[in-house]
């Protein structure tokens, strides 16, 4: 889809040179697209770029994949094969072509209903960062959504939540929740119809299926018969918050357009799942959001797992525009309700009378610094040279380092007043 416009800055210079780069891949090894904003591109280079794009298209369209799936489920179990190298369901006529590849045999209906466990997770941190919810977190999220009365879930980059909803819907007649998955991983088109999955880039709000896919999403967001909609998103943590926020606002605007009245002063309900240290960035774009203490954990991430203590705990939280008191967290997992804050917090998150808030962000008990006038991490101490709390073993000289854009001290590049 469309590239994003960036600026290349040099320390001490206010003016930077603007360039276009890939919105999804943050490493040139994965996508070498680069173009200065003021650069004139030759016809030869444009043609080469078009040819490169054509050669990197998936082998089948979404419609073809849907037809292939219908034929695949009709096969007896002994003839159901999945190529692990090509990450593709195979029909008997294609076996010869994949004869020297590793493949799985006897693919069951249960496996087809859980594609996130059949497919290899794409774990390149700078491109996909496809870390999948642990069953505990996924089950908690689904139960919470049901308890809050939501019957439609726009699953943006949350394939495991989507498949849990799809699986429950196919097994339980009375289960009334529906989900639409928006994801950049086109492999999911092998398992879901056009009404269940849209190939989507959340960094530039691009629907690869064009207007038809956009209309599918718009229709899904229509709240018919009082079926409330919520968006749940779990973006790659290395992604630009600005780009993500822009796309999410466009999805919210699409939701607003679906109703002639009633949405005027409202935001579409949303769960944005992201590490707690991005809190200030998210609140810059969505001031109505607040961060919950619930620790989200992942199956295939070495660090972000439940049950670890201290700094080993998962830093991933839920940011939401719903009223915090509505989000009930499980007491058996170490959460309690703070009557002053009117929200559930981690048991070790003690209420600070001076800040008038439960201030801990990482699950540990934080301490109040009178000089900083705020609560800080328990391992931090006030440094009179730096005039702030920091780690005991730090280098005071670092405070002299100025902003990379304007060279002045007191702020970082991201907060530089010289940048628009």
């Amino acid at each position: 889809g469309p590239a994003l416009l960036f600026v290349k800055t040099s320390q001490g210079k206010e003016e930077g040179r603007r360039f276009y780069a890939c919105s999804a891949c943050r490493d040139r090894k994965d996508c070498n697209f680069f173009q200065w904003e003021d650069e004139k591109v030759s016809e030869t280079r444009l043609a080469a770029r078009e040819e490169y794009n054509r050669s990197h298209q998936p082998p089948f369209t979404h419609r073809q994949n849907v037809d292939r799936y219908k034929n695949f489920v009709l096969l007896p179990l002994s003839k159901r094969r999945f190529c692990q190298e090509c990450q593709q369901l195979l029909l008997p006529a294609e076996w010869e072509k994949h004869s020297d590849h590793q493949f799985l045999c006897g693919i069951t209906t249960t496996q087809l209903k859980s594609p996130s466990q059949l497919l290899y997770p794409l774990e390149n941190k700078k491109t996909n960062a496809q870390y999948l919810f642990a069953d505990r977190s996924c089950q908690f999220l689904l139960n919470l959504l049901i308890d809050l009365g939501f019957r439609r879930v726009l699953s943006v980059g949350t394939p495991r939540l989507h498949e849990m909803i799809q699986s429950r819907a196919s097994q339980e007649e009375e289960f009334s929740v529906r989900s639409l998955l928006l994801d950049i991983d086109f492999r999911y088109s092998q398992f879901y119809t056009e009404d269940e999955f849209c190939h989507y880039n959340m960094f530039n709000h691009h629907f690869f299926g064009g207007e038809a896919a956009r209309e599918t999403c718009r229709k899904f967001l229509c709240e018919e018969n009082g079926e409330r909609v919520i968006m749940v998103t779990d973006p790659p943590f290395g992604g630009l918050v600005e780009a993500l926020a822009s796309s999410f606002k466009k999805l919210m605007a699409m939701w607003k357009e679906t109703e002639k009245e009633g949405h005027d002063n409202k935001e579409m309900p949303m769960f944005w799942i992201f590490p707690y240290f991005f809190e200030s960035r998210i609140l810059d774009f969505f001031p109505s959001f607040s961060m919950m203490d619930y620790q989200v954990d992942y199956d295939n991430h070495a660090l972000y797992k439940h049950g670890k203590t201290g700094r080993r705990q998962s830093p991933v939280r839920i940011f939401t525009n719903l009223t915090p008191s509505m989000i009930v967290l499980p007491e058996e997992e170490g959460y309690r309700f703070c009557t002053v804050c009117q929200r559930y917090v981690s048991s070790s998150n003690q209420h600070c009378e001076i800040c008038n808030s439960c201030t801990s962000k990482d699950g540990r008990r934080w301490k109040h610094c009178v000089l900083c006038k705020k609560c800080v991490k328990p391992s931090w101490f006030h440094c009179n040279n730096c005039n702030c709390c920091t780690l005991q073993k730090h280098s005071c000289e670092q405070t002299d380092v100025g902003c990379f854009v304007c060279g002045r001290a007191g702020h970082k590049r991201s907060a530089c007043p010289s940048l628009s």
Side-chain angles (χ1 to χ4, degrees):
L4 292 182
L5 184 61
F6 296 89
V7 62
K8 208 180 195 80
T9 56
S10 303
Q11 189 170 357
K13 291 183 181 178
E14 290 195 17
E15 285 295 316
R17 194 175 178 193
R18 285 142 69 103
F19 65 94
Y20 289 99
C22 180
S23 60
C25 303
R26 294 176 297 286
D27 194 323
R28 293 279 159 75
K29 291 174 189 168
D30 299 312
C31 178
N32 62 7
F33 179 85
F34 180 94
Q35 184 181 311
W36 294 110
E37 186 188 22
D38 52 8
E39 182 182 0
K40 286 186 179 176
V41 184
S42 67
E43 290 296 325
T44 310
R45 196 165 147 206
L46 280 173
R49 193 179 286 166
E50 282 299 318
E51 179 53 40
Y52 179 86
N53 285 347
R54 263 196 302 275
S55 67
H56 284 71
Q57 293 301 309
F60 302 104
T61 65
H62 195 164
R63 172 50 32 204
Q64 287 171 326
N65 273 336
V66 171
D67 292 338
R68 286 167 55 79
Y69 183 85
K70 287 175 184 172
N71 292 328
F72 188 87
V73 293
L74 294 173
L75 295 170
L77 207 60
S78 59
K79 293 194 173 181
R80 290 187 188 176
R81 291 187 180 181
F82 176 76
C83 178
Q84 289 180 294
E85 289 184 42
C86 302
Q87 293 285 282
Q88 190 180 309
L89 297 173
L90 298 180
L91 297 173
E94 298 158 351
W95 289 359
E96 182 85 27
K97 209 191 317 183
H98 298 261
S99 58
D100 57 343
H101 292 180
Q102 291 279 327
F103 52 81
L104 295 173
C105 297
I107 303 298
T108 63
T109 305
T110 305
Q111 286 175 295
L112 292 173
K113 298 284 183 193
S114 307
S116 73
Q117 296 182 26
L118 188 62
L119 300 167
Y120 285 136
L122 305 173
E123 294 179 358
N124 181 333
K125 286 185 178 66
K126 292 188 176 178
T127 309
N128 303 94
Q130 209 172 48
Y131 298 112
L132 304 163
F133 292 145
D135 192 60
R136 162 194 158 268
S137 288
C138 206
Q139 197 66 61
F140 164 75
L141 281 167
L142 181 52
N143 291 341
L144 178 61
L145 297 174
I146 293 168
D147 291 344
L148 290 168
F150 293 105
R151 292 297 172 263
R152 296 193 196 192
V153 182
L154 186 66
S155 304
V156 185
T158 56
R160 192 152 279 182
L161 178 64
H162 174 73
E163 72 185 36
M164 186 176 274
I165 293 170
Q166 295 288 101
S167 180
R168 288 272 301 271
S170 65
Q171 292 168 14
E172 304 168 27
E173 276 186 40
E174 68 281 3
F175 188 77
S176 57
V177 182
R178 289 196 289 145
S179 172
L180 172 65
L181 176 63
L182 306 187
D183 204 288
I184 201 165
D185 188 352
F186 190 68
R187 297 177 302 170
Y188 285 106
S189 67
Q190 297 179 87
F191 305 91
Y192 299 122
T193 66
E194 290 104 322
D195 290 332
E196 297 167 334
F197 167 75
C198 293
H199 192 201
Y200 176 77
N201 181 352
M202 70 173 83
F203 288 104
N204 59 5
H205 188 58
H206 179 67
F207 287 88
F208 293 85
E211 199 49 48
R214 188 181 293 272
E215 184 59 21
T216 297
C217 182
R218 197 195 67 77
K219 278 185 178 173
F220 183 83
L221 293 175
C222 283
E223 296 190 351
E224 297 170 339
N225 307 320
E227 290 186 337
R228 295 172 64 213
V229 177
I230 186 169
M231 178 163 81
V232 181
T233 182
D234 181 34
F237 302 152
L240 272 176
V241 173
E242 292 91 327
L244 292 168
S246 174
S247 294
F248 298 158
K249 283 182 177 181
K250 285 171 184 170
L251 288 170
M252 285 177 158
M254 195 185 283
W255 170 80
K256 256 190 177 176
E257 289 166 11
T258 62
E259 287 283 316
K260 290 174 184 170
E261 53 187 275
H263 286 174
D264 297 342
N265 300 312
K266 288 185 187 174
E267 284 181 333
M268 173 166 66
M270 181 174 163
F271 283 170
W272 181 342
I273 293 157
F274 226 48
Y276 70 81
F277 37 81
F278 283 101
E279 182 182 19
S280 62
R281 302 293 296 128
I282 291 175
L283 297 185
D284 281 346
F285 296 99
F286 294 104
S288 63
F289 278 36
S290 52
M291 186 179 82
M292 303 295 100
D293 272 22
Y294 184 79
Q295 293 182 16
V296 179
D297 52 306
Y298 296 81
D299 262 353
N300 57 324
H301 198 291
L303 297 177
Y304 301 169
K305 288 186 183 291
H306 180 62
K308 298 195 174 185
T309 56
R311 297 190 65 187
R312 283 292 188 189
Q313 296 177 88
S314 171
V316 187
R317 303 288 183 268
I318 300 170
F319 293 87
T320 183
N321 50 5
L322 297 177
T323 308
S325 59
M326 296 167 62
I327 315 295
V328 179
L329 304 185
E331 291 181 12
E332 66 275 13
E333 289 185 22
Y335 300 98
R336 63 175 182 83
F337 188 75
C338 175
T339 52
V340 185
C341 294
Q342 282 293 295
R343 69 181 181 99
Y344 277 84
V345 296
S346 175
S347 296
S348 55
N349 189 355
Q350 296 301 306
H351 192 86
C352 174
E353 299 295 339
I354 305 167
C355 296
N356 194 29
S357 173
C358 290
T359 51
S360 172
K361 309 287 184 193
D362 61 7
R364 294 178 293 170
R365 185 172 182 171
W366 285 21
K367 60 185 182 183
H368 191 85
C369 174
V370 179
L371 297 170
C372 289
K373 296 181 181 175
K374 64 177 183 180
C375 285
V376 296
K377 293 179 180 180
S379 55
W380 285 14
F381 296 87
H382 195 85
C383 172
N384 291 323
N385 291 336
C386 301
N387 196 28
C388 67
C389 282
T390 183
L391 286 167
Q392 201 161 18
K393 292 180 180 176
H394 74 283
S395 179
C396 291
E397 294 85 13
Q398 288 180 354
T399 56
D400 297 331
V401 176
C403 166
F404 283 115
V405 178
C406 67
R408 293 193 294 271
H411 62 266
K412 293 183 180 177
R413 178 176 63 187
S414 59
C416 182
S418 301
L419 291 178
S420 58

